[in-house]
Amino acid sequence: MGVECSLPTRSGSSSSVITRGLIIAQPWIGKILRGEKIWEMRSTHTSVRGPIALIEKGSGLIVGVASISDSIGPLGFEDIFDNEVKHRVGPEIYTRDDYTWNHAWVLNQVSPVSKPVKYRHKSGAVIWVELDSGARDELNSQLSGKTTECNLSQVPIAKDGSWFGRENCCRKGYYTVGEKGCEQRFTDYQAALDYLRSMQTAKWRRPNAKGNWGIVSAVVWSDPQPTPFFRNS
């Protein structure tokens, strides 16, 4: 049976307006914003999907944005151990008898905001906050103002440090992007980058250190690095 492919929804649509924030304590929110952590561990499943604000616990500030693409769990000890690179919770924590944070909320399209946004914290809110109109407007105004800059300069970066570059990701004159089984090929770099921006999680092919081409997924969007982590030989 073949894979049915559909084009992703453009991220600039009105459905991307952020109305709620997830409260995350340090050091975890710092690891998320630096692209070190893509699983936020929680004790329950979430049905929330799409763009959210990231709130640093106790600060009263929105410090970043992200998108939730999945909720995995409950996870057993083996799963938590095998995926430590994704959640960055050390064994000194997840091996405790009272550890119950066995659901992974999968984050992508993580980006810090250019200026932290104040919000009104409602009494009793410990996980989610419905953003007040002032915070909503300021946050979405910032994001709207960044659109042009991001389209011109920011690229997806994978957890191994490799990024989608004009030279290092071109193979025989083509850029290959998209989900495995329904990948798209572009001769134009900007067209390929625009397609990646439209995906919920950007995925593209690049050569690894041995020169073998494989698919990687973005954990963060940022400015290109001075030199690619891997080079096309």
Side-chain angles (χ1 to χ4, degrees):
M1 182 180 296
V3 178
E4 182 180 351
C5 302
S6 58
L7 293 177
T9 302
R10 300 297 293 183
S11 58
S13 66
S14 59
S15 62
S16 293
V17 172
I18 295 175
T19 61
R20 75 177 87 195
L22 177 62
I23 302 169
I24 307 175
Q26 289 286 12
W28 316 118
I29 195 165
K31 293 177 183 290
I32 289 169
L33 292 174
R34 292 191 297 272
E36 300 170 6
K37 173 180 169 72
I38 60 174
W39 280 11
E40 169 62 3
M41 302 303 291
R42 296 282 166 160
S43 59
T44 59
H45 167 78
T46 182
S47 59
V48 174
R49 299 291 184 272
I52 60 167
L54 300 177
I55 295 171
E56 181 177 344
K57 184 177 180 179
S59 71
L61 297 171
I62 298 167
V63 295
V65 294
S67 181
I68 297 181
S69 62
D70 203 358
S71 177
I72 307 170
L75 300 172
F77 175 81
E78 295 277 339
D79 297 316
I80 295 174
F81 174 81
D82 289 343
N83 290 283
E84 190 172 319
V85 70
K86 295 180 181 178
H87 58 71
R88 296 295 183 179
V89 178
E92 71 281 4
I93 297 176
Y94 66 72
T95 57
R96 295 193 317 228
D97 291 339
D98 61 349
Y99 185 79
T100 58
W101 296 52
N102 57 1
H103 288 72
W105 296 5
V106 182
L107 303 176
N108 54 54
Q109 297 180 352
V110 176
S111 177
V113 294
S114 56
K115 180 181 179 182
V117 176
K118 293 183 179 180
Y119 73 96
R120 290 200 297 270
H121 190 92
K122 295 182 179 179
S123 177
V126 294
I127 299 176
W128 293 105
V129 172
E130 291 296 324
L131 302 181
D132 58 272
S133 59
R136 244 187 355 252
D137 291 346
E138 184 177 345
L139 175 62
N140 288 292
S141 175
Q142 272 197 47
L143 299 178
S144 176
K146 286 175 62 179
T147 301
T148 301
E149 177 185 349
C150 289
N151 284 343
L152 290 175
S153 65
Q154 292 195 329
V155 297
I157 300 176
K159 67 179 181 181
D160 62 11
S162 60
W163 54 278
F164 185 72
R166 187 182 297 274
E167 296 181 2
N168 59 305
C169 293
C170 185
R171 185 184 192 188
K172 298 180 180 179
Y174 289 97
Y175 301 95
T176 303
V177 299
E179 296 284 350
K180 186 175 182 179
C182 52
E183 294 165 272
Q184 307 294 313
R185 297 174 72 190
F186 295 89
T187 57
D188 182 73
Y189 172 74
Q190 189 60 51
L193 186 58
D194 287 344
Y195 187 90
L196 290 172
R197 292 192 186 286
S198 72
M199 298 183 67
Q200 187 176 49
T201 301
K203 297 182 180 182
W204 68 98
R205 285 191 179 270
R206 59 94 181 98
N208 62 19
K210 295 181 179 180
N212 299 318
W213 288 77
I215 295 177
V216 291
S217 301
V219 295
V220 69
W221 284 75
S222 186
D223 292 333
Q225 306 304 303
T227 56
F229 188 85
F230 297 129
R231 285 193 179 274
N232 181 10
S233 56

